[in-house]
Amino acid sequence: MATAVEPHESHEDSHDDWHHQPFSAHHFDNAEQQFDSGKLGMWLFLVTEILFFSGLFCAYAVYRSTHPEVFIYASQFLDKYLGGMNTIVLIFSSLTMAWAVRCAQLGQRTGLVTLLGVTLFCAALFLGVKTFEYTEKAHKRLLWSGAFVKATDIGKQSQVFEVGKPLPKAEFEDRVMASLDTIKKFWWFACVIPLVLIGIGYGSGSRPWRTTGFAGLISIFGILAGIWISIEIHHAQHAGDHADGHGDSHAVAEHEGEHAEDDHGEHDHAQTAEEKEAAEIDAEALAIQEKIGIEASEAPDMILGEMNNAIPAISTPVVTNSQADAPRNANIFFSIYYFMTGLHAFHIICGMIAITWLMVRSVENHFRPDYFGPVDFVGLYWHIVDLIWIYLFPLLYLIGH
Amino acid sequence: MATDVMPAHSETSRPEDNYLTASKGIMSWLVTLDHKRIGVMYLIGTMTAMFLGGFLALLLRAEHISGTPTFFTHDQYNQLFTLHGAIMVFLFIIPSIPAALGNFILPVMLGAKDVAFPRMNLCSFYLWVIGAIFFICALLTTGLDTGWTFYTPYSTNTSQTNVVLATFGAFILGFSSIFTGLNFIVTIHTMRPPGMTWFRMPLFLWSLYATAIIQVLATPVLGITLLLLAAERMFGLGIFDPKLGGDPVLYQHFFWFYSHPAVYIMILPAMGIISELISTFSRKPIFGYRFIAFSSMAIALLGFLVWGHHMFTSGQSEMVTIIFSVLTFSVSIPSAIKVFNWLATMYKGSIVLATPMCYALSFLFLFTIGGLTGLFLGALATDIHLHDTYFVVAHFHYVMMGGTLVAFIGGLFYWWPKMTGRMYNEFWGQISSLIVFVAFNLTFFPQFVMGSRGMPRRYYNYLPEFQVYHVLSTIGAFLLGFGLLLAAIVLIVSLFKGKKAPANPWGAATLEWQCGSPPPLANFEKTPTVGNPYDMNSVVWDPDTESFIRRGDVPPVTD
Ligand code: HEM
Ligand SMILES: [Cu+2]
């Protein structure tokens, strides 16, 4: 970074109008120096963020190289369609964010506020999809290593989290839907707080309160939309299995396998019971066929062989330690999955807070062509958060397919 | 980022005001954005931590007055050394020089009005406070007995103490350290006044810059490691637990990837202080300026490549061990370059044995021993024998205490007149440095001997053959405590009794001596002229003000 120190004759002279502008910090000499400092600071912060994640990527690399079978086996439980959709959402939000920065530079307030709102919505959408994914996994008992072990069995004196026996197969899908249904039913509760904020905002004529309230609403709607879309995608995948005859990719076969065993309730609204039964039998037959096919063609491959064995059992809580066909310690994959994506989601939340703050300030008309640093810096942060996801997605979702 | 509204420094302050008198009341300190006040608050905080840690150390040594259990049970002993280590490392030595002295001196030395992000600076201080509170809570509830290294699986599966609390404490302290480092890098990059080129920066700034790089690059890795550790303990993540498919040595790799560079966070700023002290009190420009500057950077970068030397005995592959051993040797080169340059600076200088210089000379001696014994540990054959013995304990105390702490005290004496506006009592200052030097060697030299004869570290009792060394060491420790207390008393008494300090009592040519003592709120009334920081001829003694002043400003003198 080049230094931005402009030589100036004497200190007094440099006390020009710049120092009397609203957001100029007095220990800087001029706007350029202030901007450059902020930018360098932000870049350094991003370096620390990358290093923060790099520890996890390192752990990932270590375990993937020592337990390749675990990764290939366990990653098939992740839904790459949902992951892919989230990737697209984030990339799109990066676009809107970059565009927002441009608006700030050009002093286009309406554009800035709108684009920030869209970015916020995308972020929330992402979290909504993640909520669905986590809920689904939790109910399928796809959890981290320690979740199935009694603390005392591994010599621990204590462990906050203890999970009992896995649910019977049939129940978990219902449970996911039930808990998500609850969210669907009672979502308006969550809107109370932002609505109160908006109310206060109008009551007291305070724009910041109002803006915060609206940002809150956008976030809630985003999250709900995410959950709703995930459910639709989930259904569509399954419905598609029945509709297009029998898919020919492995992935479809897997999903059908999944259906064959535990389609309970979720199709009822779309199909009659009869149809459903027929479809189920159909799917089951197909799954078995597929399985045989795969085995025939790829059996020599040890790892894939294990995978194939696992297919019929795919929707049962396979990864409990007792499961015979799961590779040993398969849950290590989920330990890493939850930790990495969880930390990433936490960064998304921080980003949402920062974007809300930007929205408040842009509604207040703080940003001008000669002062837009904060938008730029949050933008950089947002891109790095996206970038991390762009690495996480293939590394977690797209292996072994 | 703290780039939005930055409240102006009060423009209404009177010219005779300095940063201490510019505003009054406790709140004017607690929410200050002035780097000098934040530095002072850090100083008070870290010194408190040091005396707490030192008190625990004396308890530890007292236990060793005899080889049988004396005052404590083995559990209590484990807790004592853990808290001593953790407090000294995380609360004292890492923040001490950069965050306390550096915060105060860096902008003034640079000729800037403040650090780039004053709010982040304040935030860093409060993070330190919160981290400290977590530590104290762990201390008051269950204690902590994992050692400052939190090795798994003991820390995750076995320990009965409140590991999670302490882990979060260290995590927060890590962020405090990152914020300081980030602030310093940006300040040095963007806030240099006209004329302050990279190679006109005093070497203390170079060393803080190198330190800041390590802080920013290494600390996040510690952060994630501690999070993983906490998750492991609370939820059974399994990453570090072999029973669940994890790997405890991975923890050690992660931990030392931070903690080895962290030892350079500790020593680099100390080396920077020594460069200033040696040059000023030899009344000679520093010898080999660029070598010292670049060796700081070299240490910072090489420091990232040697962490594996802490795991020579962990069963890692032989190839790796050999590579790490070779790399470890290579770090000693830049360290040695510095030592030679300091010696060359003193050569034919007119040395003034003021208190700071006495401490600087102690540093030279002690750091050299500490560094050289590091080579014994870096050599594979000897490390197998010496690993986890008192030899290691003595090694790192020679570098951390004999090096960093001694340099810190030297720097404190040196900049004390600038910070407080008072001169301390020179005689008692010198006595304190003498006591510290002698007592230090008495404490730690016997530990080399018993370590090489097989006395393991972290034991609360020992075989009779080690009695004599332990007793010597314990006596030394109490003397050392007394010496440090004396130094503290000398400084504190000066606040009340000391005579007023002139702007430049030592005849140094760096910028901080050009503003008043204590500095005014915005550091400089007018932007200072930047010259060669080690041009001792640019200042002359002025008997009227009893201070050194810049040559251009004095009426022509005949010399
Ligand atoms: C000349 C450069 C140095 C070399 C070659 C060196 C080498 C080593 C080696 C090989 C060890 C591992 C010993 C073992 O556990 O068997 C070690 C431990 C240690 N060193 Fe150094 N060192 C150097 C400088 C420093 C500095 C500057 C500091 C601190 C300011 C330091 C602090 C420590 C600490 C704290 C430990 C022990 C950590 C523990 O196990 O608790 N070293 N050193
Ligand atoms: Cu080391």
Side-chain angles (χ1 to χ4, degrees):
Chain A
M1 274 263 149
T3 67
V5 190
E6 299 276 279
H8 49 80
E9 293 315 317
S10 92
H11 197 63
E12 271 59 49
D13 293 347
S14 72
H15 261 280
D16 46 22
D17 354 315
W18 179 73
H19 271 146
H20 301 293
Q21 285 173 10
F23 302 109
S24 57
H26 282 241
H27 60 294
F28 292 115
D29 286 333
N30 50 44
E32 197 191 348
Q33 192 186 26
Q34 178 169 356
F35 179 79
D36 282 353
S37 301
K39 191 121 180 174
L40 178 59
M42 195 65 212
W43 274 108
L44 283 169
F45 177 70
L46 297 185
V47 169
T48 67
E49 286 288 356
I50 291 176
L51 281 158
F52 201 63
F53 274 94
S54 70
L56 293 175
F57 281 111
C58 215
Y60 176 95
V62 168
Y63 288 107
R64 181 147 177 204
S65 66
T66 53
H67 307 274
E69 74 287 357
V70 162
F71 279 69
I72 292 175
Y73 171 79
S75 82
Q76 63 187 321
F77 295 100
L78 301 186
D79 188 330
K80 62 182 173 186
Y81 295 106
L82 293 179
M85 164 171 160
N86 259 350
T87 312
I88 294 168
V89 167
L90 275 196
I91 291 177
F92 179 72
S93 77
S94 251
L95 171 73
T96 54
M97 190 73 215
W99 196 350
V101 174
R102 189 69 195 139
C103 284
Q105 287 169 342
L106 298 176
Q108 300 166 345
R109 184 165 74 131
T110 333
L112 174 60
V113 178
T114 319
L115 285 163
L116 287 175
V118 176
T119 314
L120 187 63
F121 182 80
C122 289
L125 199 64
F126 178 93
L127 285 186
V129 177
K130 273 251 99 44
T131 312
F132 176 85
E133 284 190 78
Y134 281 173
T135 326
E136 193 208 14
K137 300 235 153 35
H139 284 293
K140 287 187 180 171
R141 288 299 183 246
L142 299 169
L143 295 175
W144 59 93
S145 304
F148 298 102
V149 197
K150 277 214 170 61
T152 43
D153 288 348
I154 46 175
K156 269 196 210 295
Q157 305 294 341
S158 68
Q159 186 174 308
V160 177
F161 224 89
E162 259 182 286
V163 178
K165 284 263 170 296
L167 286 173
K169 299 186 221 173
E171 244 176 71
F172 64 84
E173 193 84 353
D174 292 346
R175 280 252 206 137
V176 187
M177 292 307 157
S179 49
L180 292 176
D181 271 349
T182 324
I183 299 184
K184 268 161 90 187
K185 248 185 241 149
F186 297 107
W187 59 272
W188 47 272
F189 269 125
C191 297
V192 171
I193 298 172
L195 285 175
V196 169
L197 285 182
I198 295 175
I200 296 177
Y202 275 108
S204 63
S206 145
R207 271 187 308 196
W209 285 78
R210 242 182 290 161
T211 320
T212 318
F214 277 115
L217 270 190
I218 294 181
S219 309
I220 290 172
F221 285 136
I223 292 179
L224 287 171
I227 295 176
W228 174 72
I229 294 176
S230 322
I231 295 176
E232 289 307 314
I233 291 186
H234 194 73
H235 285 203
Q237 281 168 5
H238 296 242
D241 297 344
H242 300 283
D244 69 6
H246 309 297
D248 40 20
S249 75
H250 293 190
V252 176
E254 282 165 27
H255 280 294
E256 299 208 13
E258 190 172 1
H259 267 263
E261 297 215 330
D262 55 73
D263 251 4
H264 292 285
E266 69 172 281
H267 286 208
D268 292 9
H269 51 87
Q271 291 165 304
T272 65
E274 235 179 333
E275 265 171 2
K276 192 187 147 216
E277 208 163 10
E280 248 176 329
I281 294 168
D282 210 14
E284 199 152 12
L286 179 91
I288 293 164
Q289 251 176 18
E290 278 283 327
K291 183 192 155 203
I292 296 168
I294 296 165
E295 258 170 0
S297 60
E298 293 177 71
D301 185 326
M302 268 306 290
I303 293 166
L304 278 178
E306 277 193 42
M307 240 180 89
N308 295 336
N309 288 342
I311 287 180
I314 205 157
S315 54
T316 60
V318 226
V319 245
T320 55
N321 286 349
S322 59
Q323 197 71 27
D325 43 12
R328 257 172 70 95
N329 296 321
N331 297 66
I332 275 281
F333 177 83
F334 288 103
S335 296
I336 292 175
Y337 166 78
Y338 279 111
F339 205 92
M340 290 182 103
T341 56
L343 197 65
H344 179 263
F346 175 75
H347 279 81
I348 296 268
I349 294 173
C350 293
M352 287 168 70
I353 294 171
I355 292 173
T356 305
W357 169 72
L358 287 185
M359 281 175 78
V360 172
R361 290 194 64 186
S362 42
V363 169
E364 291 293 285
N365 222 350
H366 286 181
F367 303 122
R368 310 178 328 188
D370 60 353
Y371 176 75
F372 58 87
V375 190
D376 205 10
F377 307 149
V378 174
L380 284 175
Y381 170 82
W382 192 249
H383 297 318
I384 214 83
V385 174
D386 289 358
L387 193 64
I388 290 171
W389 177 259
I390 288 173
Y391 280 92
L392 286 181
F393 173 57
L395 285 178
L396 292 171
Y397 288 75
L398 299 185
I399 49 179
H401 283 283
Chain B
M1 299 247 105
T3 41
D4 57 319
V5 207
M6 214 79 74
H9 286 300
S10 148
E11 308 253 312
T12 52
S13 62
R14 289 158 291 137
E16 68 271 22
D17 268 346
N18 57 47
Y19 81 100
L20 291 171
T21 54
S23 51
K24 292 237 151 36
I26 181 92
M27 279 320 277
S28 78
W29 279 84
L30 292 184
V31 297
T32 180
L33 294 181
D34 179 19
H35 70 98
K36 299 182 282 304
R37 287 193 170 188
I38 296 174
V40 171
M41 293 197 293
Y42 251 125
L43 183 68
I44 296 170
T46 50
M47 291 316 282
T48 315
M50 191 201 86
F51 277 99
L52 183 61
F55 175 69
L56 295 172
L58 291 184
L59 295 184
L60 283 170
R61 283 316 315 170
E63 170 64 29
H64 286 307
I65 200 77
S66 85
T68 49
T70 320
F71 300 113
F72 304 110
T73 64
H74 45 73
D75 274 341
Q76 286 165 338
Y77 186 80
N78 289 351
Q79 304 225 353
L80 284 178
F81 76 67
T82 301
L83 280 159
H84 161 71
I87 288 178
M88 283 299 199
V89 168
F90 293 119
L91 287 177
F92 168 64
I93 214 167
I94 289 180
S96 64
I97 299 181
L101 290 181
N103 236 328
F104 192 100
I105 295 300
L106 178 135
V108 198
M109 237 183 185
L110 198 66
K113 279 178 240 155
D114 206 320
V115 290
F117 308 119
R119 286 190 183 176
M120 198 186 212
N121 203 12
L122 185 67
C123 175
S124 155
F125 173 70
Y126 281 111
L127 286 179
W128 183 90
V129 172
I130 295 170
I133 290 173
F134 271 76
F135 265 66
I136 305 291
C137 283
L139 173 86
L140 293 182
T141 51
T142 53
L144 181 71
D145 64 357
T146 60
W148 75 279
T149 47
F150 301 115
Y151 268 16
T152 56
Y154 183 78
S155 60
T156 50
N157 291 16
T158 317
S159 174
Q160 297 273 31
T161 57
N162 220 330
V163 182
V164 174
L165 210 59
T167 317
F168 277 122
F171 180 80
I172 294 168
L173 290 171
F175 272 92
S176 155
S177 173
I178 290 178
F179 283 3
T180 306
L182 200 155
N183 227 330
F184 284 3
I185 296 183
V186 176
T187 309
I188 289 178
H189 269 276
T190 61
M191 313 261 303
R192 282 176 285 125
M196 179 62 89
T197 59
W198 281 93
F199 291 108
R200 280 202 199 148
M201 284 196 330
L203 288 166
F204 183 48
L205 297 187
W206 270 102
S207 72
L208 283 178
Y209 183 71
T211 309
I213 290 182
I214 310 180
Q215 285 177 307
V216 168
L217 296 186
T219 320
V221 179
L222 177 74
I224 197 69
T225 311
L226 294 175
L227 276 190
L228 282 169
L229 182 75
E232 174 86 50
R233 189 174 164 93
M234 288 191 295
F235 307 118
L237 202 62
I239 300 258
F240 299 136
D241 189 342
K243 277 202 186 128
L244 300 173
D247 183 354
V249 179
L250 186 67
Y251 173 81
Q252 298 186 16
H253 278 288
F254 279 171
F255 182 81
W256 287 109
F257 183 82
Y258 163 76
S259 289
H260 186 82
V263 308
Y264 295 107
I265 296 179
M266 306 169 195
I267 198 71
L268 274 171
M271 292 168 157
I273 291 184
I274 297 302
S275 303
E276 303 299 326
L277 298 187
I278 299 263
S279 165
T280 303
F281 292 103
S282 306
R283 310 245 2 98
K284 249 184 86 188
I286 190 93
F287 182 87
Y289 172 91
R290 281 186 189 227
F291 275 98
I292 299 188
F294 283 128
S295 66
S296 291
M297 300 303 290
I299 291 179
L301 300 180
L302 284 174
F304 277 98
L305 307 178
V306 303
W307 77 91
H309 65 214
H310 295 272
M311 282 161 282
F312 283 161
T313 58
S314 73
Q316 65 188 4
S317 88
E318 245 169 59
M319 191 61 191
V320 171
T321 334
I322 291 169
I323 293 173
F324 275 126
S325 175
V326 172
L327 288 170
T328 301
F329 276 86
S330 72
V331 231
S332 57
I333 298 170
S335 314
I337 289 179
K338 284 182 189 272
V339 174
F340 293 136
N341 281 308
W342 292 324
L343 293 178
T345 307
M346 291 199 303
Y347 178 66
K348 286 195 174 163
S350 48
I351 294 175
V352 184
L353 280 182
T355 309
M357 186 60 171
C358 296
Y359 278 102
L361 293 176
S362 308
F363 172 95
L364 279 187
F365 186 84
L366 301 176
F367 174 73
T368 306
I369 294 187
L372 283 177
T373 50
L375 296 179
F376 289 76
L377 298 171
L380 295 178
T382 40
D383 185 64
I384 301 297
H385 176 65
L386 296 174
H387 177 71
D388 263 350
T389 65
Y390 262 75
F391 193 91
V392 176
V393 178
H395 154 71
F396 67 70
H397 280 94
Y398 263 83
V399 270
M400 285 164 55
M401 188 165 185
T404 309
L405 180 74
V406 164
F408 174 72
I409 301 175
L412 195 57
F413 272 104
Y414 180 61
W415 282 302
W416 190 258
K418 182 58 58 186
M419 300 172 85
T420 63
R422 299 286 168 175
M423 297 302 289
Y424 57 84
N425 183 313
E426 196 63 71
F427 173 75
W428 286 108
Q430 285 160 327
I431 296 287
S432 79
S433 83
L434 190 69
I435 297 178
V436 168
F437 179 73
V438 172
F440 181 88
N441 283 299
L442 183 59
T443 313
F444 292 105
F445 202 80
Q447 298 188 356
F448 277 129
V449 182
M450 61 178 147
S452 60
R453 295 185 180 192
M455 172 73 211
R457 64 192 281 206
R458 296 183 171 174
Y459 274 46
Y460 86 129
N461 55 5
Y462 50 84
L463 297 176
E465 69 221 57
F466 297 118
Q467 173 110 28
V468 51
Y469 307 113
H470 272 299
V471 171
L472 281 179
S473 183
T474 301
I475 296 173
F478 278 87
L479 251 172
L480 185 54
F482 172 72
L484 294 175
L485 204 61
L486 182 64
I489 291 172
V490 171
L491 290 176
I492 290 171
V493 166
S494 80
L495 290 179
F496 306 103
K497 295 244 168 88
K499 67 180 194 335
K500 271 187 84 61
N504 187 356
W506 311 124
T510 42
L511 283 184
E512 79 271 28
W513 303 107
Q514 282 187 36
C515 63
S517 301
L521 191 58
N523 296 347
F524 297 98
E525 266 99 42
K526 59 183 172 68
T527 312
T529 353
V530 182
N532 177 347
Y534 297 107
D535 181 9
M536 300 301 165
N537 294 324
S538 69
V539 289
V540 283
W541 177 251
D542 172 38
D544 294 342
T545 53
E546 298 211 326
S547 169
F548 284 85
I549 49 176
R550 281 191 81 83
R551 219 160 238 211
D553 308 346
V554 263
V557 260
T558 46
D559 53 321

